[in-house]
Amino acid sequence: MADKRGDESLAAVVLAGGQARRLGGVDKPGITIGGRTLVSLVVDAAADAGASRVVIVGPARPGLTAHGATIEVAREHPPGGGPVPALRAGLRLVTESWLLLLAADAPFLRACHLRTLLLAARSAGHAVLADDHDRPQWLC
């Protein structure tokens, strides 16, 4: 939320440390679609939506860049411990007034979706995207 100074700074925490049990342990955020990894697509969406800092929670991703955003890496304890320890680890690095909490496996997420979410959040104080069946998607 904006503080008393009207700070609109934005960070994103991208959860990218899951165990991918349903994929036989494959590094899901590292899966490539159209020449891009899933995590790189999410990072670009966050940066293009205005995030000045993107915290990747999970293993280091050498070569990952974001247009106009700083990328930092955090590890949850224990590694692969789930979304709550991952969120805790990511939040330790966030100082911005606004936060996007994102899963690393959302290849169709775009900056326009996040900008719409932010517009709603800044009006109501918070917001969450919902799927086609009106179920909240907490990691977006």
Side-chain angles (χ1 to χ4, degrees):
M1 283 188 223
D3 65 17
K4 293 176 187 172
R5 296 168 296 152
D7 187 1
E8 295 292 317
S9 59
L10 175 65
V13 171
V14 180
L15 304 186
Q19 296 179 359
R21 289 184 188 106
R22 291 177 298 211
L23 286 175
V26 170
D27 176 32
K28 189 168 29 171
I31 292 174
T32 302
I33 295 178
R36 306 274 316 279
T37 63
L38 294 181
V39 70
S40 72
L41 294 166
V42 172
V43 166
D44 279 351
D48 291 346
S52 59
R53 177 193 324 244
V54 179
V55 178
I56 308 292
V57 183
R61 308 266 171 195
L64 188 61
T65 61
H67 314 289
T70 301
I71 294 180
E72 297 182 48
V73 177
R75 284 302 305 212
E76 71 274 29
H77 182 73
V84 173
L87 176 57
R88 187 178 321 121
L91 286 177
R92 285 189 187 118
L93 298 177
V94 173
T95 58
E96 290 76 7
S97 298
W98 288 92
L99 172 70
L100 293 167
L101 175 59
L102 306 170
D105 61 350
F108 302 112
L109 184 66
R110 299 290 180 263
C112 62
H113 303 131
L114 297 176
R115 284 191 292 269
T116 299
L117 182 66
L118 287 165
L119 184 63
R122 287 180 171 139
S123 174
H126 61 277
V128 63
L129 287 178
D131 66 15
D132 292 342
H133 301 286
D134 211 26
R135 292 180 297 229
Q137 299 301 304
W138 297 109
L139 295 180
C140 188

